Amino acid sequence: MVVNGKLNVMGGIHKMKKKIFGLFMAAAASLFCLAGCTTATDGGSTGSGTTSNTTTTTTTNAGDDGSLQVGIVLPTKDEPRWLQDQAQFEKILGDAGFTNQVLFSQGSSATEKTNVETLLSKGVDVLIICPQDGAAAAAAVEAAKAEGVTVIAYDRLITGTEAVDYYVTFDSFAVGEAQGQYLIDNAPAGTDIPLYLYAGAATDNNAFIFFEGAWSVLQPKIADGTFKIANSSEAEALKGKASLTREEMAAIIGQVSTDWDFNTAKSKAEANLTIAGADMKGDVLVLAPNDGTARSIADVFASDKDITSYVVTGQDSEKASVQYIIDGIQSMTVFKDTRTLAQDSVEMAITILKGETPATDSSYNNEVKDVPAKQTNIVVVTKDNVTQALIDSGYYDAADFTGLN
Ligand code: GAL
């Protein structure tokens, strides 16, 4: 989208003053646009529009010197979740009149690094980045830091580097805890109930936090024999431990990771059910880490004639999963309101552009430093509250679904 308001007329003014003036003009531009600005679907005066399947551009002319103000790098277009984030960033920053560009890394740390370099070459002041691989992204943000750019890790933490200034995140421990608690609250009566564990990508720090949250509530039920682990010898060996080290979690995740990929999730679920004995069938529980993997795992479990019933978790409130929940195929999802997360990141970026220090409410250790963080709460969504949580809140349109009450 291009917002046409010719404002880059400030040559010669000191950089900081230019920034403040730029902010003022940006606000003026957004007001001006209410009165009638032209929009286009892609392209822009400083950007190139959709230049490849890894690139999407949104620009305005409100930048202080024509350079890019906020650069955003997201992991992949292949999960609807990140497209929701992209839409929020483009809307919020576009409406506020800030030059910005969103680039996708498409599952490649090399592309991610190139994306950061592209944004640096366009003079970006603030980089908002959700890493594909939390450790590998360190090199990219170090390059940004070297050019004086402020780095905000978005949703996933970047580990092993000093070069992260802030972290904007959902409460990921609470996500895992809610998934585990849902399984407990909706488990069939009895003992020895088969529990299938699946996790996210081992390269994503969040996958550990989600698992840690889930384990914190599931472990006592595994230890006392209410649940029995169906598909991880590592988890089985550690069932006596209330809290796990990162290495111990890595061992479990190594066995049950989906890599956040629905095809991997599908093959893993199929392989697990192929070798599962009768004692691991019947009424079962499934910890699925997010919606994409939950849908493919649910499809596999639903088609096994020896599975009488299953309860399966999810995360992200993707449209397809909301429909699955309405249809009774997926049991729950965790709503992470990306509007809030994008809004928080943008507010943080604007505060930084003004030369002020943004507010934070927590901190996350990334192995070398405690990164000041701003955290957002999550909401559990089931068939019972789907309308209230996702439609009444304006997140989705009722017309996007069939069979809503
Ligand atoms: C996590 C993110 C989740 C989910 C997942 C798969 O890091 O917090 O919301 O989208 O990645 O991409």
Side-chain angles (χ1 to χ4, degrees), residues 79 81-82 155-156 204 206 210 260 290 315-316 336:
E79 292 169 33
R81 193 251 132 111
W82 304 115
D155 195 289
R156 297 176 181 168
D204 177 0
N206 284 352
F210 300 145
W260 294 131
N290 77 339
Q315 168 177 205
D316 289 336
K336 301 165 79 167

Side-chain angles (χ1 to χ4, degrees), residues 249-260:
M249 281 192 280
I252 300 172
I253 292 172
Q255 289 184 322
V256 302
S257 172
T258 59
D259 278 335
W260 294 131

Side-chain angles (χ1 to χ4, degrees), residues 296-369:
S296 47
I297 293 170
D299 289 344
V300 173
F301 277 71
S303 64
D304 187 310
K305 64 175 178 15
D306 298 321
I307 299 289
T308 344
S309 75
Y310 63 87
V311 180
V312 64
T313 60
Q315 168 177 205
D316 289 336
S317 294
E318 290 179 4
K319 269 188 190 166
S321 278
V322 174
Q323 188 62 56
Y324 260 42
I325 290 172
I326 297 166
D327 296 341
I329 310 169
Q330 184 176 324
S331 316
M332 62 87 85
T333 185
V334 176
F335 176 36
K336 301 165 79 167
D337 194 335
T338 53
R339 294 171 301 188
T340 312
L341 207 65
Q343 182 75 45
D344 282 352
S345 315
V346 167
E347 276 168 17
M348 199 177 252
I350 292 172
T351 307
I352 293 161
L353 286 168
K354 284 186 195 161
E356 294 165 10
T357 305
T360 52
D361 55 20
S362 47
S363 73
Y364 278 73
N365 189 277
N366 81 340
E367 289 156 22
V368 301
K369 71 182 274 199

